[in-house]
Amino acid sequence: MKTLVLIVNRLIWFFPTVLGLLAIVFFISHVIPADPAAFVAGENATPETIAAIRARLGLDQPLHIQFVRYIEAILEGDMGRSIFTGRPVAEDLMSRLPATLELTLVTIVVASLIGIPLGVVSALKRNSWLDHALRVVTIAGLAIASFWFAILLQLLFSMRLGITPLSGRIEGWGPEPITGFYVIDALILWDMEILWDALHHMILPVATLALPAAATIVRFTRAGVLNALESNYVLYETAMGYPRRLVIWKYVLRNALIGTVTQIGLIFGILLAGAVVVEAVFDWPGLGLFAVNAILSSDYNAVMGFTLIAGTMFIVVNLVVDILQGMIDPRETR
Amino acid sequence: MRRVLRKLAEDRAAMLGLALIVLLVLAAIFAPWLSTHPGDVAEFHTARRLSPPGPENWLGTDRMGSDIYSRLLFGARITITIAVTAITIAVIIGVPIGLVAGYYEGLGSDLLMRVSDIFLAVPQIVLAIAIAQTLGPSIENVILALSATYWPFWARLVYAETRSIKNEPFVEAAIALGCSPLRVMVLHILPSISSSIIVRTTIGMGGTILTAATLGFLGLGPPPPTPEWGRTIAESREFLPMAWWYAAFPGLAIFMVVMGFNLLGDGLRDVLDPRLRRAGQHGK
Amino acid sequence: MASELISVRNLRVSFGSDAGTAKVLDGVDLAIRAGEIRGLVGESGCGKTTLARAILGILPRNSARIESGEIRFGGRDLLTLPESALASEVRGREIVYIPQDPSTAFNPVFTIGTQIDDLMRFKSPLLRGGADDRQGFFNSYPRERRAADRARVLELLRLVQLPNPEAVLRKYPHEVSGGQRQRLMIAMALLPEPKLVIADEPTTALDVTVQAQILKLLKQLARERGVAVLFTTHDLGAAYEICDRITVMYAGQEVEEAPVDGFFERPSHPYTRKLLDSLPSSEAGIRGIAGEIPRLIDPPPGCRFHPRCERATGICRTERPPPEAVDALHSVRCHHRLSATEPAS
Ligand SMILES: Nc1ncnc2c1ncn2[C@@H]1O[C@H](COP(=O)(O)OP(=O)(O)O)[C@@H](O)[C@H]1O
Ligand code: SF4
Ligand SMILES: [Mg+2]
């Protein structure tokens, strides 16, 4: 019941936020450009094509009618056609979604597995050389441009040492998509070769993306643990002789993680942004690579479609995180 | 104030950050004198293309044979121009919005904050890509795209801070003394939340520079032959692994500058706003 | 004395900070007998909590320093005992703690039941001398012991007058009232069947109406079990309600110790007298004590009370008075103590 109230409460803000996102994208795509139709048609379009598009999009109509039409189209899943692939943008995006999701999800898991213990240790050994070293490393991790880091990794491990694949998601064509997540598909097919190959291809992209994500997790976990360590309940638990390890890895950690979970929404944003360039560098056939190709070929519908999808995913993730946090934090009542 | 500066001076990491920033500024200002080939922003020497670092070209040359070291120095000017202008605009938009929304309560305030929330609900780079793509590649458009996506950070921050100190005695006293709202906001509230703004702005600089470089890398930055760092890295990819210096040094430059702002911001936060460092994770 | 349960001798504790070193406890002596309820009374900031934490061995590690002294308990000096032994054998077993603010002492994100379960898993009296008397994260919690512990828990929750104990165990701390939380704290303190309870201002954070009930409960349960209590408070009335003996502390020095009756009838230290005079009473009304507690960073030498004392002489400024017996049970540290007949100043 409490959970239901919570979900409804968060959903109330979900729809206005998505509508707001649509308004922003509409503004960028329909209001800012002098001639939106020319954008949509692409660089090599003839005046006739442009005129046809202008009529189809109703660009001669007043703005508010255009907006309503725009929303109607989006609701029907119509984001226009891609000049580059010639297919509907929505279809293109959907077919590339699993690749990006797989990459980001694996990254979040990896980053948490590295970041949470390091954050705890950093807090426990506050002001030790380890803590100072981690401080510098995490700040550095957030200061490196992902595209550059990706290139460096590729240069070293793929080109010089030859121990990781240069690019792509898999050798050859990959398995017939079931879920589109290669790791899951490989497990369903119980094909260890595919599984290994998919994981092998993931190493460098995941490493690149995990660096800033893990850095963020370390910092938040550290702050959360320090906060908890200074709390009255830890004082009480210590005074009552609860074993130290129990206090830290159960009582302190749970409190600290509630704060960290909130940050996963933020981290997802970092990852999505990172995916654009990381996918471009590693030729990872996901949303990011699609967006970069769209930018390079001035494929306007595709760029706007990507913005919309990325924004919506981000909003949905934050919604889920919000609800999750409400569920794991017993004090949350709203 | 002096105490703050002294404590900051004791923080070696923050001082390193400051040094890196000073280095960037000096590089930008004195680029024409510091560079070994000042003309190479526009000229090329195809005979020398892709030469490795050496006595003639300290950091090697690019695909046009232009001196990478010199181009990096001039690139610093672009970086500074973009980051400073974009952040200034973002602050000029965001701070007043946050102040007003925080000071007055009501539908208008809620609406303003909702709008900034929606902006914050989209990853900055994604929004910046959409705007930059629409506007076309140029320095001005990068600045526009960045300030349009970054202002809500300041609006949110200032809003929350204003809300939290609005009922402090010194603010209420000023209101009771008949100060106009504008006066209260600018002379009483703004000074006492300035340290948070400074911290946020310093850290924001790093983020903005990264985003700007990413736009450059994606081809949405200022067009060639501008020596923009992100674009230089994109160009270099064709020539890897042979011309490693082509990719390595511009990336290092970006890293050093962003690291500078992040280190300084981290140190400033410790000194100015200890509350933030230990901030409760639960206060909702 | 053989019947002493715990004896603190010449304890000096200081806190380091940017501003200097605060000498917070200055040669404190304190002995508590088995089963005794002892009040530790003094103004806020005089070092009560510091003393309590020193006994428990939970002073903040990075700022507090123990300069000298010993704390004898069960034939050992707690100050020289390694932290691991303290945590597993003393804290939560022999000596337990009831905190000042029960609303923040519970971990907010675990149910009360979980927190009590974990206490019993490591501190249950059934463990005493048992084979699995070890500490560790992955220690097993044998089912039979768990069931027996659960029964004890429910019984004690009933004794502290919590309605519907099973339901309380399933709740989160924020779902029960402040008074109930403190009852739970008392129950948790008594569950391990300790010898000494350290209750640091256990009722200060509660409503006045609840305070009296909680104190009565604490006193009754401690008496029934013969558990000694060190009860710190700045509330003389509360101390009068539940204590056998009272120790008065001033600025990190204990100054007088007496049975409750002697304490209220024959205060012998000028500070104690002023404390009593400042109590609201029908004739006197509320009178504060003139002067301020000294800065502990550079405290007055000798008797720390001398800057505020009307009887102070030269010797007070140089030498801390030794304890002197007023009668067999009553001792005081003052160079010029008040005699029983002397009128209030
Ligand atoms: N962690 C600490 N760091 C520095 N000084 C402290 C700390 N804890 C207590 N003190 C100082 O020790 C003195 C005694 O404090 P405390 O034992 O809490 O007194 P009480 O419990 O009697 O109110 C006070 O002056 C206080 O400022
Ligand atoms: S020793 Fe001296 S200063 Fe201290 S209380 Fe007694 S008379 Fe006063
Ligand atoms: Mg206290």
Side-chain angles (χ1 to χ4, degrees):
Chain A
M1 185 56 214
K2 197 188 122 192
T3 314
L4 192 71
V5 172
L6 187 84
I7 293 174
V8 170
N9 261 330
R10 307 289 154 138
L11 277 179
I12 290 175
W13 280 117
F14 176 70
F15 294 106
T17 312
V18 173
L19 192 67
L21 173 68
L22 285 170
I24 293 176
V25 176
F26 174 80
F27 187 82
I28 295 172
S29 58
H30 287 66
V31 183
I32 298 181
D35 184 2
F39 268 103
V40 171
E43 278 163 353
N44 310 318
T46 57
E48 293 80 55
T49 341
I50 297 179
I53 289 177
R54 193 174 295 134
R56 189 162 55 78
L57 291 180
L59 294 178
D60 38 5
Q61 308 271 344
L63 272 181
H64 64 270
I65 295 183
Q66 285 186 43
F67 185 52
V68 172
R69 273 206 188 189
Y70 172 76
I71 290 180
E72 279 169 2
I74 298 287
L75 286 181
E76 283 165 17
D78 177 9
M79 298 178 172
R81 261 175 200 280
S82 155
I83 309 169
F84 189 62
T85 65
R87 303 200 305 153
V89 168
E91 262 174 47
D92 275 340
L93 288 170
M94 282 307 142
S95 69
R96 282 163 171 82
L97 189 59
T100 298
L101 279 184
E102 183 170 43
L103 186 60
T104 39
L105 290 178
V106 171
T107 303
I108 284 189
V109 171
V110 169
S112 308
L113 288 180
I114 297 172
I116 290 172
L118 283 181
V120 175
V121 171
S122 180
L124 292 181
K125 307 239 171 215
R126 185 180 192 174
N127 290 332
S128 67
W129 66 267
L130 183 76
D131 184 28
H132 288 302
L134 273 174
R135 178 183 174 193
V136 174
V137 170
T138 53
I139 295 179
L142 291 168
I144 290 188
S146 327
F147 57 89
W148 183 60
F149 189 55
I151 290 174
L152 288 189
L153 288 180
Q154 211 177 33
L155 186 61
L156 181 63
F157 292 102
S158 306
M159 296 175 178
R160 287 276 151 96
L161 300 174
I163 53 176
T164 50
L166 185 63
S167 62
R169 234 182 132 191
I170 202 141
E171 288 308 319
W173 286 105
E176 193 58 32
I178 303 170
T179 59
F181 293 79
Y182 283 179
V183 171
I184 298 177
D185 288 356
L187 285 176
I188 295 176
L189 298 170
W190 204 250
D191 188 333
M192 288 306 123
E193 222 164 287
I194 295 183
L195 180 67
W196 164 244
D197 195 38
L199 290 176
H200 199 197
H201 278 83
M202 247 183 230
I203 296 175
L204 292 190
V206 166
T208 312
L209 279 177
L211 182 70
T216 313
I217 293 179
V218 169
R219 288 169 76 81
F220 275 99
T221 308
R222 179 184 184 275
V225 169
L226 281 182
N227 225 344
L229 283 178
E230 283 166 17
S231 70
N232 258 338
Y233 55 81
V234 167
L235 184 75
Y236 175 73
E237 284 153 10
T238 312
M240 288 301 274
Y242 284 65
R244 186 74 180 159
R245 267 177 297 173
L246 182 77
V247 170
I248 292 185
W249 296 103
K250 178 171 178 179
Y251 287 96
V252 166
L253 194 60
R254 166 90 63 104
N255 278 277
L257 284 190
I258 288 177
T260 304
V261 165
T262 331
Q263 297 310 315
I264 288 185
L266 179 98
I267 290 166
F268 192 76
I270 300 179
L271 293 185
L272 216 51
V276 176
V277 291
V278 171
E279 289 185 4
V281 174
F282 292 108
D283 249 332
W284 187 271
L287 291 179
L289 183 60
F290 178 74
V292 172
N293 286 334
I295 293 168
L296 294 179
S297 55
S298 298
D299 190 346
Y300 196 72
N301 279 335
V303 175
M304 290 304 139
F306 166 75
T307 308
L308 209 53
I309 280 280
T312 313
M313 273 165 62
F314 191 54
I315 296 172
V316 169
V317 167
N318 276 306
L319 176 81
V320 171
V321 164
D322 238 21
I323 292 175
L324 215 63
Q325 199 220 346
M327 277 161 50
I328 59 176
D329 188 343
R331 287 158 302 180
E332 194 83 35
T333 45
R334 279 187 307 163
Chain B
M1 193 58 210
R2 189 168 297 158
R3 191 189 59 83
V4 166
L5 288 180
R6 183 156 0 101
K7 273 193 112 167
L8 193 66
E10 281 168 13
D11 184 346
R12 265 181 292 167
M15 283 302 104
L16 175 64
L18 188 63
L20 289 171
I21 297 168
V22 170
L23 202 67
L24 169 79
V25 174
L26 291 181
I29 295 174
F30 297 107
W33 296 276
L34 290 172
S35 63
T36 47
H37 303 70
D40 275 11
V41 170
E43 296 165 13
F44 15 102
H45 320 274
T46 24
R48 282 211 305 267
R49 71 194 291 262
L50 300 178
S51 21
E56 173 63 29
N57 303 106
W58 297 350
L59 304 181
T61 62
D62 66 10
R63 60 178 175 174
M64 299 299 184
S66 309
D67 184 54
I68 288 181
Y69 167 67
S70 308
R71 285 177 60 88
L72 283 185
L73 288 177
F74 283 95
R77 295 187 156 187
I78 300 171
T79 299
I80 287 196
T81 313
I82 291 178
V84 170
T85 326
I87 291 273
T88 308
I89 297 175
V91 169
I92 289 177
I93 300 173
V95 170
I97 287 184
L99 261 181
V100 170
Y103 187 83
Y104 298 101
E105 286 179 34
L107 201 64
S109 300
D110 289 350
L111 211 64
L112 277 177
M113 281 307 108
R114 271 296 141 190
V115 171
S116 53
D117 277 355
I118 291 167
F119 273 88
L120 288 175
V122 191
Q124 269 57 54
I125 182 75
V126 173
L127 207 53
I129 287 175
I131 299 176
Q133 173 78 352
T134 303
L135 296 174
S138 75
I139 289 198
E140 294 78 21
N141 291 344
V142 170
I143 291 172
L144 248 164
L146 291 176
S147 35
T149 49
Y150 274 86
W151 67 267
F153 283 107
W154 282 269
R156 260 276 151 219
L157 174 80
V158 170
Y159 171 79
E161 296 271 322
T162 306
R163 271 283 146 99
S164 75
I165 70 161
K166 206 180 75 179
N167 297 322
E168 296 273 318
F170 74 94
V171 177
E172 291 192 330
I175 298 173
L177 283 174
C179 295
S180 70
L182 184 69
R183 206 181 153 83
V184 173
M185 281 188 258
V186 174
L187 292 183
H188 297 271
I189 296 179
L190 200 54
S192 51
I193 62 176
S194 59
S195 53
S196 314
I197 299 179
I198 292 172
V199 171
R200 176 79 230 161
T201 304
T202 313
I203 296 174
M205 282 294 236
T208 313
I209 292 173
L210 269 185
T211 311
T214 306
L215 288 179
F217 178 76
L218 295 175
L220 292 172
T226 330
E228 199 274 328
W229 295 346
R231 177 182 291 277
T232 310
I233 296 176
E235 287 167 5
S236 77
R237 292 192 60 210
E238 269 179 69
F239 308 100
L240 293 178
M242 195 274 283
W244 56 270
W245 58 87
Y246 196 169
F249 293 116
L252 199 61
I254 298 172
F255 171 65
M256 281 175 24
V257 173
V258 178
M259 186 79 180
F261 282 108
N262 286 6
L263 283 174
L264 184 64
D266 211 49
L268 274 174
R269 175 174 49 195
D270 284 356
V271 180
L272 288 176
D273 210 347
R275 196 169 37 99
L276 259 184
R277 186 145 208 219
R278 333 178 12 188
Q281 305 288 314
H282 310 306
K284 266 237 163 183
Chain C
M1 228 190 287
S3 63
E4 276 170 8
L5 174 67
I6 185 168
S7 104
V8 176
R9 275 184 227 140
N10 192 31
L11 183 62
R12 287 173 208 278
V13 173
S14 56
F15 282 103
S17 73
D18 288 350
T21 308
K23 301 173 187 73
V24 170
L25 293 187
D26 184 37
V28 171
D29 289 342
L30 178 82
I32 301 174
R33 294 168 180 230
E36 175 189 5
I37 301 184
R38 170 68 61 90
L40 181 63
V41 178
E43 288 162 286
S44 175
C46 74
K48 303 182 293 291
T49 298
T50 305
L51 179 55
R53 288 198 192 180
I55 293 174
L56 285 159
I58 53 164
L59 288 168
R61 245 177 256 173
N62 42 15
S63 57
R65 234 184 74 186
I66 293 170
E67 310 278 354
S68 75
E70 60 175 16
I71 300 178
R72 298 213 71 84
F73 180 83
R76 301 191 280 192
D77 180 3
L78 298 185
L79 291 183
T80 58
L81 218 54
E83 165 65 22
S84 59
L86 269 179
S88 64
E89 297 163 28
V90 180
R91 294 203 287 262
R93 283 281 176 86
E94 311 265 286
I95 306 182
V96 296
Y97 178 58
I98 298 177
Q100 171 165 354
D101 185 357
S103 59
T104 55
F106 272 112
N107 196 306
V109 300
F110 288 90
T111 60
I112 292 164
T114 306
Q115 305 185 42
I116 294 185
D117 263 3
D118 275 331
L119 179 73
M120 291 307 270
R121 184 164 148 210
F122 296 101
K123 303 295 177 182
S124 160
L126 297 177
L127 270 174
R128 215 144 286 175
D132 57 349
D133 192 5
R134 278 172 290 115
Q135 298 244 332
F137 191 61
F138 299 106
N139 268 16
S140 65
Y141 191 178
R143 188 175 308 165
E144 315 86 74
R145 180 156 76 77
R146 187 184 202 120
D149 282 341
R150 189 39 88 101
R152 279 163 179 268
V153 168
L154 291 174
E155 184 199 326
L156 204 52
L157 293 195
R158 256 173 231 118
L159 282 179
V160 296
Q161 294 152 23
L162 278 166
N164 203 354
E166 283 95 351
V168 168
L169 288 180
R170 282 192 300 270
K171 287 189 176 169
Y172 284 96
H174 70 272
E175 294 171 330
V176 304
S177 73
Q180 287 186 342
R181 277 193 289 256
Q182 200 58 306
R183 285 169 199 274
L184 283 162
M185 285 283 159
I186 292 175
M188 288 173 79
L190 296 176
L191 274 170
E193 298 185 357
K195 298 204 172 88
L196 173 63
V197 175
I198 293 185
D200 191 8
E201 311 216 20
T203 55
T204 308
L206 301 178
D207 276 357
V208 189
T209 45
V210 188
Q211 283 185 8
Q213 298 166 10
I214 298 282
L215 287 179
K216 225 178 94 194
L217 186 71
L218 179 61
K219 178 174 185 176
Q220 179 206 335
L221 291 176
R223 277 272 185 278
E224 282 169 11
R225 275 140 223 265
V227 185
V229 178
L230 176 65
F231 166 68
T232 78
T233 183
H234 58 258
D235 178 355
L236 278 172
Y240 180 75
E241 291 295 325
I242 76 162
C243 296
D244 302 318
R245 290 170 70 80
I246 290 179
T247 298
V248 179
M249 202 144 99
Y250 178 78
Q253 300 177 328
E254 95 290 356
V255 295
E256 183 164 11
E257 183 182 319
V260 166
D261 310 333
F263 178 83
F264 283 95
E265 280 158 24
R266 286 188 306 284
S268 300
H269 195 280
Y271 175 66
T272 310
R273 164 58 66 74
K274 291 202 180 191
L275 264 188
L276 290 175
D277 286 350
S278 74
L279 278 181
S281 72
S282 46
E283 309 118 63
I286 299 170
R287 262 193 277 157
I289 303 175
E292 279 171 30
I293 320 177
R295 279 164 28 94
L296 298 179
I297 285 182
D298 77 84
C303 172
R304 284 189 172 180
F305 189 55
H306 77 246
R308 291 164 82 183
C309 181
E310 285 137 18
R311 304 165 77 96
T313 60
I315 188 171
C316 304
R317 293 183 191 95
T318 56
E319 267 172 57
R320 179 164 183 217
E324 267 178 49
V326 176
D327 57 46
L329 298 169
H330 186 162
S331 81
V332 62
R333 281 184 170 223
C334 174
H335 291 299
H336 313 289
R337 66 183 156 98
L338 306 165
S339 58
T341 49
E342 237 168 302
S345 49

